[in-house]
Amino acid sequence: MESILVTGGAGFIGSHTCLSLIKKGYCLYVLDSFVNSSKLSISNVIKILEIDGLDATEFIDIVKGDIRNKSTIRDLFLKSIADKKPIKSVIHFAGLKSVAESVRNPSIYWDTNLISSLNLIEVMLEFDCLTIVFSSSATVYGLDNKSPIKENGKLNPNNPYGNTKLAIEKLFNDFFQSNKKKLKIANLRYFNPVGAHPSGFIGEDPKGIPNNIFPVIAKVAIGIQKKLNVFGNDWPTVDGTGIRDYIHVMDLAEGHIRMLEFLENNESQIVTLNLGTGIGTSVLQLINTYEKVNNIKIPFQFVHRRSGDVSELVADSSFAKKLINWAPNKDLKDMCKDSFNWQLKNPYGFNGPQNN
Ligand code: NAD
Ligand code: UFG
């Protein structure tokens, strides 16, 4: 049997993707340092599969390790060979993702995001593992594009986190150019991944104070946080609040599988895809939907614009539809319902109040 290495597989998007991969019959190694996640996410993936009648323990092996250490990655490839489950492809989620933190501490972002990606591709080549799907971000587009944004939009990230994502895309492109006949690489530019698995067993559990709107709304919804600060009501949008393209994390998980299968079945190439719904939602529209589907109130107040924010960021995802026949199935109502369900069942995330 062959296997897939999922770096950062215990995190938000990684855990949901692991679930979908195992359901499809893939065998996985998860490499995660748990710097921003809990082992319980993977235990709960196994629980969900158990409820569906599948004993997943044989299909997933979790290894705690820091992907910045080349020897850790190499040891895992060797282990997969010893286990007779050689790693044949990689989905690379591991990394740090807070824009604000990256401005305060660029060094750790370059070290964690870029160096680990260099280590990873080098070790992959050592073991003749030639397929990688990488978590890039819409943040690579920066402030200068008009939505909906196509993959050929202007690339001009405006923060260190975005710079690392663009640099990794370039790194992979350089490796592809020098190994043209071999590598299969996909850069997936996610827009705003949100929601949770409908079971409420896994979801987004950021360590520390959340910055993104969904974790904040969810905390306000159950009363852990008093109100939502809405960053600006003077943007040039329908109601003055910022517009984003929210995409359900389970749809995103499916996007990874389609991408991986496409690469497996096609010749060597490097491809870059937007993954979003193509639908823009303002902050006020989001609050309204969250309130309606969950029958709750979200107290909020307008405050100043957040520095570095853009007015509108919406994907043109037509290339994903054309290339890998992927389109989202879930809408904003599902995202709001599943987000609330996860938060209600796990008010303090996986590890209880001490994690917050
Ligand atoms: P996450 O923080 O929940 O998951 C990242 C995982 O990587 C965590 O489990 C963390 O412990 C692990 N990790 C971090 N540094 C590591 C290291 N040095 N060695 C091993 N493991 C390490 O984040 P997520 O939301 O699941 O995002 C996954 C990927 O998608 C990230 O690369 C992120 O930049 C990218 N992305 C996320 C979003 C978003 O809004 N969530 C948007 C665009 C792109
Ligand atoms: N917002 C608020 N109040 C909050 C948080 C956010 O009003 O407490 C607003 C923002 O101003 C923005 C919208 O909600 O209009 C979405 O903000 P998020 O912080 O949830 O998401 P961003 O689009 O700013 O950024 C996210 C990730 C980035 C990633 C980007 C594109 O944090 O890492 O999506 O993928 F690069």
Side-chain angles (χ1 to χ4, degrees):
M1 196 195 306
E2 289 177 319
S3 63
I4 299 173
L5 167 59
V6 185
T7 75
F12 171 45
I13 305 169
S15 56
H16 291 78
T17 306
C18 286
L19 174 65
S20 298
L21 285 164
I22 297 173
K23 271 198 172 164
K24 281 260 161 90
Y26 287 100
C27 180
L28 313 179
Y29 285 94
V30 167
L31 176 59
D32 203 302
S33 64
F34 304 109
V35 66
N36 197 36
S37 57
S38 162
K39 264 193 180 163
L40 291 175
S41 66
I42 297 295
S43 312
N44 285 2
V45 165
I46 293 171
K47 267 192 208 155
I48 297 169
L49 291 163
E50 239 168 46
I51 293 167
D52 288 353
L54 182 73
D55 177 4
T57 45
E58 260 182 53
F59 296 96
I60 186 161
D61 204 333
I62 309 155
V63 175
K64 182 175 179 188
D66 192 319
I67 195 179
R68 284 174 292 180
N69 301 328
K70 213 168 176 180
S71 58
T72 302
I73 309 173
R74 199 176 277 130
D75 287 350
L76 185 49
F77 271 84
L78 289 170
K79 174 177 162 45
S80 76
I81 293 166
D83 291 348
K84 302 207 168 13
K85 295 187 282 192
I87 295 167
K88 66 157 183 186
S89 49
V90 176
I91 305 185
H92 181 32
F93 293 108
L96 299 177
K97 62 165 184 178
S98 158
V99 170
E101 186 188 38
S102 78
V103 173
R104 286 194 303 272
N105 189 356
S107 168
I108 191 175
Y109 273 72
W110 283 102
D111 190 27
T112 305
N113 292 359
L114 185 70
I115 302 302
S116 66
S117 302
L118 174 62
N119 288 341
L120 181 61
I121 192 101
E122 284 180 348
V123 175
M124 283 174 62
L125 284 168
E126 278 175 32
F127 286 87
D128 212 31
C129 169
L130 303 171
T131 303
I132 181 165
V133 175
F134 166 60
S135 301
S136 189
S137 167
T139 195
V140 297
Y141 293 117
L143 307 176
D144 308 325
N145 292 282
K146 208 176 146 20
S147 287
I149 305 176
K150 280 189 194 290
E151 288 79 358
N152 62 3
K154 192 170 173 201
L155 301 174
N156 187 17
N158 66 333
N159 56 69
Y161 164 68
N163 287 333
T164 67
K165 288 289 174 188
L166 185 54
I168 298 163
E169 288 192 8
K170 289 183 178 171
L171 166 85
F172 287 159
N173 191 51
D174 286 349
F175 272 74
F176 175 75
Q177 296 307 332
S178 63
N179 292 277
K180 256 193 191 146
K181 296 259 152 51
K182 294 172 89 181
L183 284 163
K184 299 177 174 189
I185 302 175
N187 298 310
L188 300 182
R189 293 180 182 156
Y190 315 149
F191 278 65
N192 288 60
V194 299
H197 188 264
S199 65
F201 278 58
I202 51 173
E204 187 168 12
D205 181 21
K207 287 195 174 163
I209 299 162
N211 301 304
N212 296 121
I213 194 154
F214 260 77
V216 177
I217 287 198
K219 283 196 172 5
V220 174
I222 62 161
I224 290 181
Q225 197 166 313
K226 277 215 175 80
K227 34 172 110 138
L228 168 74
N229 286 327
V230 176
F231 297 140
N233 59 354
D234 54 354
W235 294 100
T237 62
V238 270
D239 56 23
T241 64
I243 289 183
R244 293 293 181 277
D245 183 340
Y246 299 102
I247 163 98
H248 196 292
V249 64
M250 292 308 299
D251 281 330
L252 207 56
E254 178 61 28
H256 289 79
I257 295 178
R258 296 271 170 108
M259 191 70 248
L260 197 67
E261 290 177 348
F262 176 87
L263 291 179
E264 276 166 0
N265 296 324
N266 286 281
E267 69 284 6
S268 153
Q269 60 188 294
I270 183 163
V271 60
T272 299
L273 283 187
N274 286 340
L275 291 184
T277 60
I279 298 169
T281 303
S282 75
V283 175
L284 288 182
Q285 288 165 343
L286 170 59
I287 294 172
N288 190 25
T289 306
Y290 211 102
E291 290 184 331
K292 270 202 186 130
V293 297
N294 296 313
N295 197 20
I296 48 160
K297 277 319 269 181
I298 303 285
F300 68 90
Q301 65 184 1
F302 291 114
V303 297
H304 285 301
R305 291 181 179 189
R306 181 172 63 178
S307 126
D309 262 356
V310 285
S311 163
E312 186 170 356
L313 198 62
V314 176
D316 180 327
S317 273
S318 51
F319 186 42
K321 172 80 187 147
K322 193 171 149 210
L323 191 77
I324 57 171
N325 192 27
W326 172 86
N329 284 314
K330 293 180 183 271
D331 62 13
L332 188 68
K333 287 184 190 155
D334 299 313
M335 302 177 211
C336 294
K337 200 163 91 192
D338 294 337
S339 152
F340 186 56
N341 180 45
W342 154 253
Q343 195 71 44
L344 260 187
K345 289 185 174 155
N346 310 271
Y348 294 98
F350 289 108
N351 291 321
Q354 72 277 10
N355 188 31
N356 284 255

